[in-house]
Amino acid sequence: MINLTIDRQQVSVEKGTPVLEAARKIGIDIPTLCYLKDLNAPAACRVCIVQVEGRPAFEASCVLPAEEGMVVHTNTPAVLAARKQVLELFLSDHPFECLTCERNLNCELQRLAKRYGIRDLPVEGERNHYPIDHVSPSVVREPDKCIRCRRCVSVCENYISANIYRMMDRSFQAVVGPAYNGSLMESPCIYCGQCITVCPTSALREQDSTARVFEALANPELHVVVQTAPSIRSSIAEEFGLPVGTPVEGQMVAALRRLGFDRVFDDCVAADICVIEEATEFMERLKKGGPFPQFTSCCPSWVLFCEKFYPQFVANLSEVKSPQQIFGALVKTYYAKRAGIDPAKIFVVSVMPCVSKKYELLRPEMKASGCQDIDAEISTREFVRMLFQAGLDIRKLPREEFDSPLGSASGAGVIFGSTGGVLEATLRTVYEWAGEKPLKRLEFEEVRSLEYKEAVIHAGPHELRVAVARGTGAARRLMDQVLAGKKRYHFVEVMACPGGCVGGGGQPIYIETNDWNEQVSHRTRRAGGLYQLDREREYRKAHENPVILKLYEEYLGRPGGPRAHKLFHSGHVSRKLYADEPLLKKERDLVRR
Amino acid sequence: MKRTAIKRKEKYQELDGVLEKYKGRKGVLIKALSEAQEMYGFLSREVLIHIACELDVPLSEVTSVVSFYSLFKTEPSGRCHIEICSGTACYVKGMQDLLETLEEEINIKPGEVTGDGRFGLSTVNCVGACSAAPVVKIGDELIGDVDSKRLKQLLGKYGHD
Ligand code: SF4
Ligand code: SF4
Ligand code: FES
C-alpha cells in the first residue's frame, strides 16, 4: 500500500492508483472530461489538474500514480483558477447552443461550466468550423462540439474494434474524426452507437426520428403500430427516477397507448419466432454438418461487422432476420390481412435500445411485405423524450397489457435483450428438439484472456460447443481463434454492445460515472429486470408459446418453410471496408436537415 | 475477392512490391507512406486505401498520420513545385510580393496547381536560410535573394518540362 496526503488527509491506496482515484476514495471529486476509468486516459483535457508539493507545474491527476509520501492539494485557489481557465478555453471554442442542444442538462462540459461558476469568457478566441455529418442513417457527428477527449476513439478501438476514429490534422485544427474527417458513411462504421454513449457532449448523437413518428401519429390516414424491444421495458425506468432495471412493462404499454399508437405489440413475439427459425436452421446445419459455427444475426451492427471485416464468415451468419424485421414483415402481411387493413396504410414504428436498427430497416432486403417493413425506429432516448414532451410519467401510469395477437411472448423472447440471452433462448428449444429434458440455466466458463465465454452442452447425440461474445472486439478475437484452428464452436452469439441490447447505443447516457466498468455493470443491472420477467412468464420457451404455435399453424406453415423463408430469411453479403470516393459535399448538404 | 479489389491489385503491383517487406511489422507506416509518395508524387485516397488494406491498418490511422506530417501530400502537385518561405525574415523581406507576382504571372495561389499542371505552389515555414531572405525553393533547388524580376526569370527557366 502507498500512503499519501490529499488536502491534509491521509489516504492509503494500492500501488499504481492514480491520485484522482485516491482522492475519490476520501470523498473528493476531482472533475474530469476525458478520463473514463479502464477505457480512456489520454490526459487530454487537463481539468483534473492538482498541485503536488515540490513539483513546479500542476499535474493531471487522472494519470498521476500515487507515490509514497506525496502531498497533494486539489482545491487551492490557484488550482481552482487554473481549472477554470481550462474550462474557459474549452468554452471559447464551443458553440453556445446549450438551450437547443440535444444534451442540454445532460452534458459533461455544461455541468462543469456550472460547477465552476463560469460567468463570462475573457478569451474570445478563434473557432473551428466543420460540417455536420448527417449522412449516416444512425449517427450524427458535429465536430464543432467535440472537446477532443478521445473517448470515442477508445471505445471504438478497444471494445468495438472498428477503429473508426483517430486524431486528424494537428495543433488548433486538430479534430477527432473518421478518416479524412469525412462522413461515417465512408468508413467501416457499424452504427453501434457506443461512441454516442461515451461522448461527454453532443458531438455524437443519434439521428432523431421522433418528428417523423409524431407526424405519423397525427396522420388520420395511417394505422400506426408500435413494437417494443425486450430491453426497453427495463431501461426506461431510470429516466423517471426509478432504480436501474425496474421492469415497467405494463406502464410502458400504457404510455404508448396514450401517445396515440393504434396497436401496441411486443417485439418479443418476433424474438420467439427468431428463436424457432434459428433453432430450425441450426438443426438443419447439424444434419448437413455445417457450416459451423452458426453465428446469431439479430444484432445489425454485428452483421455489418462480419460483412465488412470478416467476409469469410458471411455464410456462417444465420439467415434469420432480426426480431425488428421479422415483426415488420409479420405486421404488414399477417396482421394487415387479419385486421383487413391495406399494408400501405400501416406505419410500423419500433422502439429499440439501438441506433443501428435505423440503418437496418433501410437495407434493401427488408421489404419482405412488398413495402418497407419498418417505417421508423426510435431509440430508448428518443422514446423517453417523446414521453417527456407528452407529459407522460411512467411512475403514474397504470399497467396495461399488450394488444393481441402479437402481444404475448415467452420468457425466451424477453431475455433476448441481454447478453447470452439469444443463445440461451435458442438452446432451450434446440435442446428439447434434440430429444432432451428441459434445459437448466446455462453455465458458462469465461475464456478470460480473450474476453468471451463458452460452454459445452450435450443435446441428444450431439456435443455442442457454444460461445457468447460480448462486443465485436471479443468477436474478432473469437473469429481469429477459429480461423487459426485453435477453437471450434457450433453456435456463437454475438452482440456488438456491452451487456447486449441492455447496453445498446440507444440507451440512456451514463453521465453520473466516469468509470467504464461501472457503466458496464449499470447496463447489466438493466438485464436483471428482464430475467425477473422471464421467471414470471407462463411460458418460458418459444416453441411452447401458444400464440406462436397458432401463428405457425394458421399462417406461417412449418418453421423454415416457404412462407417463413420468404418473410424472415435473408442473405448476407461481403462489403467493402472503405468508400472509393468521398461522399460529395453536395450530397452531404442535401441529406442535412 | 471483389472485382474492384482485383483491379486495385493490378494497378498497384509496383507499390505492393514495397508493401510486401512491411507486412506484419510494426511502426512501418511512415516508411511505407514515404515510399509510396516517392513513387506517385502524392498520396491519393485510392493509394491510402490500398496501403490501409494491405498493411491491415485502419484508414483512419493512415490518414491521421498523413495529416499530421506536412511532408505528406494528398493532392497532386505541379510537375515543378514552388515553395515560398513564409518565415519571419522572408516575410519581412517581401515574400508577399512574390506570391502576388505568381498570381499575376501564372494565376496560382498557395495550395494550387496551374491549369496545365506545370507548376504547383505552397508556402513553407522557414527553411532555415534566413540570411538569404526571401528564399524560394523550386524543385530541389534553394534560391536566395529573390525579387519579382528574378522570380519571373526563374519561371521562364523552369517553364519547359
Ligand atoms: S457507431 Fe460504433 S462503429 Fe461507428 S464509430 Fe461509433 S463506436 Fe465506432
Ligand atoms: S466526439 Fe465526443 S467522445 Fe469523441 S473526442 Fe469529441 S467530445 Fe470526445
Ligand atoms: S486530463 Fe485528466 S480527466 Fe482529462
Side-chain angles (χ1 to χ4, degrees):
Chain A
M1 290 304 251
I2 293 204
N3 303 297
L4 68 163
T5 311
I6 302 179
D7 296 343
R8 291 175 295 280
Q9 296 179 64
Q10 300 292 323
V11 53
S12 318
V13 291
E14 261 169 56
K15 199 166 175 254
T17 309
V19 167
L20 183 126
E21 298 295 343
R24 199 150 284 178
K25 216 176 143 189
I26 49 171
I28 299 166
D29 178 38
I30 299 174
T32 56
L33 273 176
C34 64
Y35 180 65
L36 196 54
K37 185 168 183 272
D38 295 325
L39 185 75
N40 192 50
C45 76
R46 307 204 73 79
V47 294
C48 65
I49 45 174
V50 295
Q51 189 188 355
V52 182
E53 275 184 20
R55 302 214 183 161
F58 293 155
E59 303 209 29
S61 61
C62 64
V63 290
L64 179 66
E67 282 170 24
E68 188 61 40
M70 210 178 217
V71 181
V72 182
H73 302 282
T74 76
N75 60 8
T76 65
V79 168
L80 295 185
R83 244 180 234 163
K84 215 165 154 169
Q85 210 173 24
V86 170
L87 284 169
E88 283 166 356
L89 274 174
F90 272 118
L91 292 171
S92 74
D93 185 22
H94 200 81
F96 273 77
E97 291 171 3
C98 299
L99 282 182
T100 52
C101 182
E102 201 216 63
R103 294 283 294 268
N104 190 14
L105 302 184
N106 196 17
C107 163
E108 296 185 34
L109 183 61
Q110 190 189 41
R111 283 198 177 187
L112 286 188
K114 175 170 182 248
R115 176 165 155 192
Y116 283 88
I118 311 283
R119 290 293 168 265
D120 58 8
L121 295 181
V123 268
E124 249 303 340
E126 213 183 311
R127 282 191 186 180
N128 277 307
H129 265 304
Y130 302 97
I132 298 180
D133 177 15
H134 264 303
V135 182
S136 104
S138 301
V139 183
V140 176
R141 194 175 140 258
E142 186 174 357
D144 287 6
K145 291 184 178 164
C146 171
I147 57 166
R148 298 172 205 133
C149 69
R150 292 174 229 195
R151 288 187 190 171
C152 55
V153 179
S154 294
V155 80
C156 189
E157 175 172 8
N158 300 324
Y159 197 88
I160 297 300
S161 195
N163 289 296
I164 303 305
Y165 300 113
R166 284 292 184 274
M167 206 70 175
M168 296 294 149
D169 238 312
R170 62 205 144 126
S171 61
F172 184 64
Q173 276 82 39
V175 62
V176 174
Y180 290 102
N181 192 23
S183 168
L184 286 169
M185 273 280 253
E186 304 152 13
S187 79
C189 173
I190 58 170
Y191 308 130
C192 67
Q194 285 307 312
C195 52
I196 298 177
T197 64
V198 295
C199 182
T201 72
S202 161
L204 296 169
R205 57 180 183 267
E206 67 278 354
Q207 283 283 10
D208 190 320
S209 315
T210 56
R212 275 200 71 209
V213 174
F214 273 126
E215 231 168 75
L217 287 170
N219 185 343
E221 299 279 295
L222 292 177
H223 182 77
V224 190
V225 170
V226 66
Q227 61 162 329
T228 58
S231 67
I232 310 295
R233 65 208 71 201
S234 77
S235 62
I236 50 171
E238 61 200 75
E239 294 286 78
F240 291 88
L242 295 169
V244 176
T246 312
V248 287
E249 186 175 272
Q251 296 90 324
M252 173 189 75
V253 173
L256 286 163
R257 276 210 188 100
R258 282 155 185 72
L259 272 177
F261 288 99
D262 295 305
R263 287 290 178 279
V264 183
F265 288 142
D266 195 354
D267 175 56
C268 298
V269 173
D272 274 346
I273 295 178
C274 188
V275 166
I276 291 187
E277 293 294 322
E278 272 204 42
T280 308
E281 184 182 357
F282 185 71
M283 298 303 286
E284 267 164 34
R285 286 195 198 215
L286 272 182
K287 230 185 284 159
K288 281 194 314 207
F292 291 122
Q294 172 172 323
F295 285 111
T296 57
S297 61
C298 43
C299 168
S301 288
W302 148 243
V303 167
L304 203 48
F305 186 87
C306 182
E307 289 179 329
K308 287 181 168 180
F309 293 94
Y310 285 83
Q312 59 271 59
F313 280 120
V314 160
N316 295 63
L317 284 169
S318 160
E319 276 185 13
V320 181
K321 290 180 187 172
S322 73
Q324 159 171 283
Q325 296 306 139
I326 289 181
F327 180 88
L330 208 55
V331 166
K332 291 201 177 175
T333 55
Y334 167 71
Y335 170 74
K337 198 162 150 212
R338 228 178 99 128
I341 304 173
D342 175 6
K345 292 263 156 62
I346 301 183
F347 191 93
V348 185
V349 177
S350 38
V351 186
M352 299 274 144
C354 185
V355 295
S356 189
K357 301 266 170 192
K358 291 176 193 288
Y359 145 81
E360 183 187 39
L361 63 89
L362 294 172
R363 283 178 68 128
E365 65 271 27
M366 301 306 179
K367 290 190 176 126
S369 64
C371 34
Q372 192 177 303
D373 295 331
I374 298 287
D375 296 282
E377 185 259 9
I378 51 173
S379 62
T380 316
R381 293 191 292 271
E382 293 165 272
F383 177 41
V384 168
R385 284 207 292 277
M386 288 180 77
L387 294 183
F388 285 162
Q389 285 179 32
L392 292 166
D393 186 339
I394 286 292
R395 289 169 304 183
K396 303 197 176 122
L397 293 174
R399 291 176 195 211
E400 293 183 5
E401 301 271 318
F402 282 109
D403 287 309
S404 66
L406 303 173
S408 22
S410 76
V414 176
I415 60 171
F416 247 60
S418 167
T419 170
V422 180
L423 182 80
E424 181 167 345
T426 311
L427 287 179
R428 281 182 193 170
T429 293
V430 164
Y431 203 64
E432 288 182 29
W433 282 355
E436 288 288 331
K437 287 189 288 302
L439 183 68
K440 289 205 208 74
R441 185 84 202 259
L442 277 172
E443 300 290 340
F444 282 100
E445 221 179 290
E446 300 282 333
V447 189
R448 281 206 193 277
S449 56
L450 303 159
E451 292 167 80
Y452 61 85
K453 48 185 188 172
E454 60 181 14
V456 179
I457 55 166
H458 297 271
H462 309 285
E463 186 190 88
L464 301 179
R465 298 165 180 282
V466 299
V468 175
R470 283 154 297 185
T472 37
R476 184 189 279 277
R477 290 184 286 276
L478 183 147
M479 286 186 285
D480 287 343
Q481 294 284 306
V482 172
L483 284 177
K486 291 191 184 139
K487 291 273 183 190
R488 273 176 41 239
Y489 297 108
H490 291 95
F491 194 85
V492 177
E493 175 200 297
V494 185
M495 301 276 188
C497 295
C501 302
V502 286
Q507 297 280 36
I509 306 265
Y510 316 88
I511 189 172
E512 305 302 342
T513 170
N514 55 13
D515 178 333
W516 170 249
N517 287 324
E518 174 48 33
Q519 289 194 359
V520 172
S521 57
H522 182 129
R523 297 162 202 245
T524 325
R525 284 204 292 282
R526 291 178 185 145
L530 299 183
Y531 282 104
Q532 183 186 329
L533 287 171
D534 171 38
R535 283 190 299 273
E536 292 165 1
R537 283 279 193 239
E538 190 180 349
Y539 302 100
R540 297 186 57 194
K541 288 165 233 144
H543 64 276
E544 286 176 359
N545 182 352
V547 173
I548 300 291
L549 293 177
K550 192 155 156 254
L551 191 65
Y552 272 100
E553 199 183 289
E554 269 181 13
Y555 186 72
L556 293 171
R558 71 187 155 79
R563 179 165 264 168
H565 215 271
K566 175 167 176 284
L567 293 179
F568 308 144
H569 290 230
S570 74
H572 301 286
V573 289
S574 67
R575 288 172 201 273
K576 245 196 264 174
L577 271 188
Y578 306 109
D580 289 335
E581 297 287 329
L583 295 166
L584 296 176
K585 193 175 165 300
K586 213 168 76 203
E587 245 173 79
R588 289 180 57 161
D589 287 340
L590 266 184
V591 189
R592 218 177 289 166
R593 285 167 298 184
Chain B
M1 208 187 308
K2 275 259 169 62
R3 206 169 323 128
T4 46
I6 293 171
K7 258 204 340 239
R8 213 181 57 210
K9 271 251 173 245
E10 285 170 4
K11 191 159 161 197
Y12 291 115
Q13 254 172 22
E14 195 191 349
L15 178 56
D16 282 345
V18 170
L19 296 180
E20 204 46 53
K21 64 177 190 259
Y22 293 129
K23 268 189 193 165
R25 284 168 54 191
K26 286 217 177 324
V28 293
L29 184 56
I30 294 184
K31 282 194 204 132
L33 288 168
S34 318
E35 287 195 42
Q37 176 154 301
E38 231 161 76
M39 210 171 273
Y40 303 107
F42 74 106
L43 298 167
S44 68
R45 181 184 180 92
E46 203 180 43
V47 166
L48 293 187
I49 289 178
H50 187 73
I51 293 176
C53 294
E54 292 301 311
L55 295 185
D56 199 14
V57 179
L59 184 64
S60 53
E61 176 107 24
V62 175
T63 66
S64 170
V65 168
V66 167
S67 66
F68 187 82
Y69 295 101
S70 57
L71 88 119
F72 292 124
K73 312 232 178 313
T74 51
E75 301 285 338
S77 37
R79 286 192 289 283
C80 173
H81 195 75
I82 307 176
E83 280 177 317
I84 309 256
C85 177
S86 63
T88 317
C90 293
Y91 191 86
V92 174
K93 291 272 199 123
M95 61 81 72
Q96 292 284 359
D97 296 342
L98 299 182
L99 288 181
E100 269 166 40
T101 307
L102 288 177
E103 193 167 353
E104 279 160 25
E105 290 294 312
I106 53 172
N107 188 23
I108 185 176
K109 288 199 187 97
E112 293 178 351
V113 178
T114 52
D116 57 5
R118 188 162 284 165
F119 291 108
L121 174 63
S122 59
T123 58
V124 49
N125 274 329
C126 197
V127 295
C130 305
S131 59
V135 181
V136 171
K137 197 172 161 202
I138 303 189
D140 287 333
E141 205 179 339
L142 203 57
I143 307 149
D145 295 315
V146 183
D147 57 10
S148 287
K149 200 169 130 221
R150 182 80 206 285
L151 187 58
K152 284 183 205 161
Q153 289 168 355
L154 288 169
L155 285 179
K157 178 176 163 203
Y158 286 91
H160 358 257
D161 298 290

